[in-house]
Amino acid sequence: MTDITEEQFAAVQALPPAERYAYFLRYVTESEELWTLRNAEDFVMYSDENGRELVPVWPHRRFAEACADSAWDETVAFKIDLDRWLAAWTPGLETEGRLVAVFPLANDQGVIVSPEQLAADLEKLP
C-alpha cells in the first residue's frame, strides 16, 4: 500500500474509535496486511481495566509507529500478512483467550474485539 499523507494521517487519527475501526477494515482488506508492535523479546500486549490481555493492531506502519513513540518505548512496527493473521494469529489468540485492540491511540484504547469477530468483519469485505 502507498504511504499516507500528513493530512490523511491527522484526519484518520481524529476519527472516533468506531470510524477508525471501519477504516482499519477497509485498509487492511485492500493492503492485505496489518501492523502490530514488538520489542526485542516479544510482541506488545497490555491489559485493559478489566484485566483482559489485548494485542494492539493498526492498518499502516505509520499509525503503529506513532504509538510506539508515545506509548511503547523501544518497540518497532511489525507487519503481519492478512492471510497469516487469519490462519495463525486468530486461532492462537482465541486459544490464549486474548482480545484485539484495533487502532488504539495514545489516549484511546480503540475498539476491543475478539479475534473471531475481527476475522469475521475482515472476511465480510470484498
Side-chain angles (χ1 to χ4, degrees):
M1 215 56 212
T2 61
D3 277 339
I4 55 175
T5 67
E6 282 296 321
E7 294 78 21
Q8 290 170 317
F9 179 78
V12 172
Q13 292 233 90
L15 294 173
E19 290 180 41
R20 286 197 320 273
Y21 185 76
Y23 177 90
F24 174 91
L25 294 175
R26 287 189 313 273
Y27 199 96
V28 167
T29 55
E30 195 173 308
S31 68
E32 298 184 359
E33 64 188 35
L34 58 151
W35 294 82
T36 192
L37 295 172
R38 71 170 294 135
N39 60 28
E41 289 85 44
D42 210 348
F43 293 96
V44 167
M45 282 185 274
Y46 64 100
S47 296
D48 69 5
E49 64 277 355
N50 298 317
R52 302 176 299 182
E53 283 190 320
L54 307 173
V55 174
V57 293
W58 294 269
H60 189 278
R61 171 190 289 269
R62 179 119 184 256
F63 295 111
E65 288 173 343
C67 284
D69 289 344
S70 59
W72 292 288
D73 290 340
E74 298 183 32
T75 60
V76 295
F78 183 85
K79 180 176 79 169
I80 305 166
D81 291 328
L82 180 56
D83 288 342
R84 178 135 178 87
W85 175 266
L86 295 171
W89 282 71
T90 297
L93 293 173
E94 288 174 33
T95 300
E96 295 162 352
R98 294 189 171 117
L99 298 174
V100 184
V102 178
F103 213 147
L105 303 176
N107 61 347
D108 179 339
Q109 71 177 6
V111 174
I112 308 302
V113 295
S114 68
E116 307 97 326
Q117 183 63 55
L118 179 56
D121 290 345
L122 285 164
E123 290 173 346
K124 281 182 205 172
L125 296 177

